[in-house]
């Protein structure tokens, strides 16, 4: 069961100029580098850490949902 929708776009701020680029989790996992439209700098995201953080969040959400009694 997947809880996190990897197609949802996230605002990723440029560390240089602060411009926010909308990228999905899938896009980041497939290509962790992008060119900032605000300043033209190539941004390299750490996809390995990002992917692990998503997996950890998914585990925590599953655990939380399991504890909810309807």
């Amino acid at each position: 069961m997947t809880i996190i929708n990897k197609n949802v776009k996230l605002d990723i701020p440029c560390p240089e100029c602060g411009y926010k680029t909308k990228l999905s989790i899938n896009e980041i996992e497939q290509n962790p580098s992008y060119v900032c439209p605000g300043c033209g700098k190539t941004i390299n995201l750490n996809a390995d850490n990002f992917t692990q953080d998503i997996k950890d969040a998914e585990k925590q959400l599953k655990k939380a949902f399991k504890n909810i009694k309807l």
Side-chain angles (χ1 to χ4, degrees):
M1 176 171 116
T2 300
I3 296 172
I4 297 173
N5 181 348
K6 291 187 175 188
N7 293 317
V8 172
K9 299 279 185 172
L10 307 172
D11 286 329
I12 309 296
C14 173
E16 290 294 315
C17 70
Y19 186 92
K20 293 179 183 173
T21 302
K22 290 193 176 291
L23 298 170
S24 70
I25 295 169
N26 280 331
E27 290 171 317
I28 294 168
E29 289 177 339
Q30 292 172 11
N31 185 9
S33 297
Y34 70 97
V35 176
C36 173
C39 66
K41 179 174 171 132
T42 298
I43 308 300
N44 297 305
L45 302 171
N46 187 333
D48 292 336
N49 284 348
F50 185 77
T51 300
Q52 186 59 50
D53 289 345
I54 294 296
K55 287 178 183 177
D56 292 344
E58 183 106 21
K59 285 180 190 174
Q60 292 298 319
L61 286 169
K62 285 179 182 178
K63 187 176 178 181
F65 284 127
K66 198 177 214 182
N67 292 329
I68 295 174
K69 294 181 180 166
L70 300 174

